[in-house]
Amino acid sequence: MTERTEHGGLSPEEREALRDPREERDALLDFPGAAELLTAGQVPPPRPGAVAAAQAAVAFEAQRETRPAVPRRRRLLVAAAAVAAIAVGAVAYPVLDLGGKPAATASASAGRFLDDMAAVAADAPASDAEYWKVRVETDNQDDGKRTFTTYYARGGDEGKVKKWPVGEEWLTWPQLDKLPTDEKALAALFPKDAERRFEQILIMLEDSPASPRLRAALFRILADTPGIELIGEVKDSKGRTGVAVEIVRKAWFSTGPGKDVTTWTKDRYVVDPDTGLLLENTQKTRGQDTPADRYTWLEVGPADRAG
């Protein structure tokens, strides 16, 4: 009897049973980033928001199942690449190209990121300090570059009571502490107009002494605001790493009675993903070559004394 060569003469079922499982693994992991995926346990966990972005990418791909078919191998590589991004802690907030369309809408990714920031804000320690310190650098066409340091007293200093807008009211620090921290109840106090609501909430997040639970609720309201896009990891003007979101907003100014001029601005907000604090915001008028107006928040937090 002639001796059979390795696997020779076997039925397809028998050959399948004898196949080295590593062959299938190697085929499945044939994509960029596979090496990092295999060593995922040896790298730091992803920063807040990375998981949300990858999940959004996979969710978009799942929706494509109802559209013209994409080859199964390509779908597998998209999902695997998203998982690999989580494994290596990527925070580029993707955008995997699927035939010319983004893997996830920016607004969906922005909402997930802002929800993540709500969780980060809620975990921050509460403070009972009597003073709140704000140090901010501004740079605009009218005043140039300037740095301001201000201390707000919880009880208010005579003639220097700081207030923040909430709807039609301007609230003091003690009044902020009385605001609801349920996002639906809180949202009802802000303007119904999305742009005005957005503006007031950002003013609160920039420099107010809002409690951790209140800041969390503010982020959750922002997560439902239309038009916010997630840009991804950037560095602010001081070289600090953060995650940027952007929104295009309508603005206007008057050159005289009946001479209102409407413009559009692109507002960018850079958030520290580890603390949920705003690092910087810029506002640039679309269609103009002038530099963006900039506010860089150098220090915002409790202080034991003024000065």
Side-chain angles (χ1 to χ4, degrees):
M1 179 178 295
T2 303
E3 183 177 353
R4 294 184 298 184
T5 60
E6 184 180 3
H7 296 181
L10 297 180
S11 68
E13 292 78 8
E14 291 173 321
R15 287 197 298 271
E16 180 68 24
L18 292 174
R19 190 173 68 174
D20 189 338
R22 290 175 296 182
E23 296 178 11
E24 182 173 2
R25 181 204 65 183
D26 292 342
L28 290 175
L29 295 178
D30 180 21
F31 61 87
E36 291 87 347
L37 178 60
L38 290 174
T39 59
Q42 302 175 22
V43 298
R47 299 176 71 182
V51 175
Q55 288 175 335
V58 176
F60 182 89
E61 179 57 28
Q63 293 175 1
R64 288 175 62 91
E65 294 297 334
T66 60
R67 303 173 189 175
V70 176
R72 182 178 182 277
R73 177 173 172 78
R74 193 175 184 196
R75 293 200 305 271
L76 174 62
L77 294 183
V78 169
V83 174
I86 296 174
V88 300
V91 285
Y93 299 102
V95 184
L96 302 173
D97 184 12
L98 299 174
K101 293 187 178 180
T105 62
S107 58
S109 295
R112 291 177 182 273
F113 170 71
L114 293 169
D115 275 334
D116 280 349
M117 291 303 94
V120 171
D123 286 341
S127 172
D128 58 359
E130 288 300 315
Y131 295 92
W132 192 253
K133 180 181 180 180
V134 176
R135 189 162 68 95
V136 57
E137 179 182 278
T138 65
D139 192 358
N140 59 61
Q141 297 301 301
D142 295 328
D143 303 318
K145 184 184 295 186
R146 304 171 66 184
T147 300
F148 302 87
T149 301
T150 309
Y151 292 86
Y152 307 132
R154 184 184 291 270
D157 294 326
E158 185 175 354
K160 295 183 179 180
V161 177
K162 172 68 174 179
K163 296 183 178 182
W164 291 267
V166 179
E168 301 303 320
E169 305 291 333
W170 288 80
L171 305 183
T172 63
W173 184 349
Q175 289 174 316
L176 294 183
D177 291 337
K178 297 179 181 179
L179 288 174
T181 54
D182 172 80
E183 62 266 30
K184 291 184 179 179
L186 181 62
L189 301 178
F190 286 97
K192 296 188 185 310
D193 177 76
E195 284 200 14
R196 288 189 61 213
R197 182 172 64 249
F198 174 87
E199 183 176 10
Q200 290 190 1
I201 289 175
L202 262 297
I203 289 174
M204 291 270 286
L205 288 173
E206 284 173 348
D207 67 359
S208 83
S211 68
R213 292 182 62 190
L214 180 56
R215 288 183 63 85
L218 292 170
F219 272 117
R220 286 194 292 269
I221 295 173
L222 281 185
D224 291 330
T225 300
I228 303 178
E229 295 188 354
L230 183 63
I231 302 305
E233 186 172 283
V234 300
K235 290 188 181 296
D236 71 1
S237 61
K238 300 302 178 184
R240 298 174 298 182
T241 299
V243 175
V245 295
E246 280 187 351
I247 186 170
V248 175
R249 303 173 58 208
K250 183 185 292 187
W252 58 87
F253 61 91
S254 177
T255 59
K259 296 182 179 179
D260 291 344
V261 178
T262 299
T263 62
W264 293 89
T265 67
K266 179 177 286 189
D267 298 0
R268 171 174 288 197
Y269 297 85
V270 181
V271 184
D272 183 340
D274 295 327
T275 64
L277 295 176
L278 267 65
L279 299 178
E280 186 170 88
N281 70 275
T282 57
Q283 183 182 77
K284 182 173 179 58
T285 301
R286 295 177 63 179
Q288 294 186 7
D289 294 331
T290 56
D293 289 349
R294 173 175 60 84
Y295 288 78
T296 303
W297 307 97
L298 303 173
E299 187 176 353
V300 178
D304 295 330
R305 58 187 178 85

